[in-house]
Amino acid sequence: MKRLFAASALLVLQALPAAAQTNYPLTLTNCGVELTFDAAPDSAVTIGQSATEILYSLGLAPKVSGTSVWFNPVLPEFAEVNAGIERLADNDPSFESVVAKKPGLVAVQYEWHVGASGMVGTREMFHDVGVPTYILPADCDTKDNSTGGDGTRTGAFDTAHVYKGIRELAAIFDVADTGAQVIADLQATEAAAIDRARALDLPDDLSAVFWFSSADLELDPFVAGRLGAPGYMLDKLGIENAVETDEEWPTVGWESIARADPDLIVVAYMDRRRFPADDIEEKLKFLRNDPVASQMTAVREGRIVQMDAHAMSATLRSIHGLDALSQALADMAFE
């Protein structure tokens, strides 16, 4: 497997063009808004864990003056630098707390935090006080966020959207070489995960459902639609999504899920505790004891995969989620 990973990484690196220094002024269109940078921003505040981890991966932690919106602990390799950076809020920060840091850029994961009806503020509010905003393309490319809630995918999520965000942030901060290397490493992980699954010769009709959380365990769960990050993972591994909708995270009744009878269930674990079902132990207890859910093939056969909640969103962790699911499949038996 190490030889496969090394070979995949070499192929990716050979395919990458040499990165160039940024020529300012840099102009780009981000989620429908034109941005121009005369120089690399001298500081940044992040609204969303994925935006934070991308900036850290680009070696820009010294420029990050504040973070917010966390689901799980930061990736282990960034634990030390993250400990020294102010966390403005575990969940949604206030507009005032963000602009008080006087950032040269606000990097945003979700458009519903900073967008037309942003919970933190609109892009216009930030731009009016001289603070540019950059929203990760994974949350607006092939996605309509005007539908409310978590939005609706107009096309399938692809990791190209994650790589675009990394590449553009690297250009904004004039660290294109670092961005190219980060992308190469992620592409190598992606390729190795797909090759591993192909070697398993999985059944053609294998199906799965992704359970993120539930507002209450007595209510219908939030499960993954077919076009988001979980849909990308299943498509790459040759597995059908038991939930057929373009909504990002629809609620679907357990009776409907049980009728579909998925071969495996992927459940999210997270530190966030907005809802009782955010706790993975509550999820597992429900699956094993609910009279409907407990009768599903995946539960009876013990084919329940635990996955980092942030990997289920359209983030760089989605590649790690693909890898984790590929490895979990290697340990399962299917009739």
Side-chain angles (χ1 to χ4, degrees):
M1 191 60 64
K2 290 181 179 178
R3 286 195 297 273
L4 172 63
F5 180 90
S8 299
L10 179 60
L11 289 173
V12 170
L13 286 170
Q14 289 174 340
L16 283 172
Q21 288 186 319
T22 301
N23 291 318
Y24 297 101
L26 170 69
T27 299
L28 54 85
T29 300
N30 169 242
C31 294
V33 176
E34 186 174 283
L35 303 174
T36 298
F37 298 89
D38 294 323
D42 58 2
S43 65
V45 166
T46 56
I47 302 176
Q49 186 169 348
S50 183
T52 304
E53 292 179 340
I54 287 176
L55 292 186
Y56 289 173
S57 71
L58 292 172
L60 297 170
K63 289 197 172 189
V64 179
S65 60
T67 70
S68 58
V69 189
W70 290 86
F71 285 91
N72 278 331
V74 71
L75 289 169
E77 59 265 38
F78 304 129
E80 185 174 351
V81 294
N82 185 67
I85 296 174
E86 182 181 358
R87 182 174 294 197
L88 303 181
D90 289 335
N91 293 306
D92 310 330
S94 67
F95 174 80
E96 292 75 17
S97 70
V98 176
V99 298
K101 304 299 290 185
K102 299 181 179 179
L105 178 72
V106 174
V108 184
Q109 178 173 345
Y110 297 118
E111 198 169 12
W112 63 273
H113 275 128
V114 178
S117 303
M119 291 185 65
V120 177
T122 65
R123 299 189 83 171
E124 291 78 9
M125 288 170 62
F126 281 102
H127 297 179
D128 285 348
V129 295
V131 178
T133 59
Y134 180 87
I135 299 172
L136 296 183
D139 195 57
C140 60
D141 286 3
T142 68
K143 189 178 177 191
D144 180 5
N145 288 309
S146 67
T147 59
D150 293 304
T152 300
R153 288 279 169 187
T154 57
F157 162 77
D158 190 275
T159 49
H161 307 138
V162 174
Y163 300 145
K164 177 183 176 182
I166 295 170
R167 191 177 298 109
E168 289 186 339
L169 282 169
I172 290 169
F173 284 94
D174 196 15
V175 290
D177 285 335
T178 304
Q181 184 60 59
V182 170
I183 292 169
D185 291 343
L186 290 169
Q187 287 176 324
T189 299
E190 187 175 15
I194 294 169
D195 287 344
R196 184 190 303 116
R198 285 176 179 166
L200 296 174
D201 193 24
L202 297 169
D204 292 336
D205 59 350
L206 208 61
S207 65
V209 66
F210 278 69
W211 180 16
F212 188 84
S213 190
S214 303
D216 188 282
L217 287 165
E218 300 301 317
L219 300 176
D220 295 343
F222 296 108
V223 292
R226 65 188 181 95
L227 298 180
Y232 144 80
M233 295 181 210
L234 296 179
D235 179 66
K236 293 298 182 183
L237 300 179
I239 303 171
E240 293 293 325
N241 191 339
V243 177
E244 297 182 355
T245 176
D246 294 349
E247 287 184 62
E248 190 86 340
W249 289 102
T251 54
V252 179
W254 283 112
E255 291 82 2
S256 296
I257 297 171
R259 280 195 296 272
D261 198 22
D263 296 290
L264 64 150
I265 299 174
V266 185
V267 295
Y269 63 82
M270 66 189 87
D271 282 3
R272 191 193 76 171
R273 289 295 182 269
R274 279 186 174 177
F275 308 127
D278 286 351
D279 185 342
I280 194 165
E281 293 303 323
E282 292 298 321
K283 286 188 180 77
L284 296 176
K285 187 188 302 181
F286 174 88
L287 289 173
R288 291 164 183 156
N289 294 288
D290 180 77
V292 174
S294 63
Q295 298 307 304
M296 291 188 291
T297 299
V299 179
R300 289 188 286 105
E301 298 294 330
R303 294 197 290 259
I304 300 173
V305 180
Q306 300 182 26
M307 182 178 289
D308 174 356
H310 214 218
M312 293 188 184
S313 292
T315 69
L316 62 81
R317 288 202 188 194
S318 298
I319 292 94
H320 300 305
L322 174 74
D323 187 53
L325 182 54
S326 174
Q327 292 187 49
L329 289 169
D331 294 329
M332 292 181 181
F334 299 95
E335 295 182 359

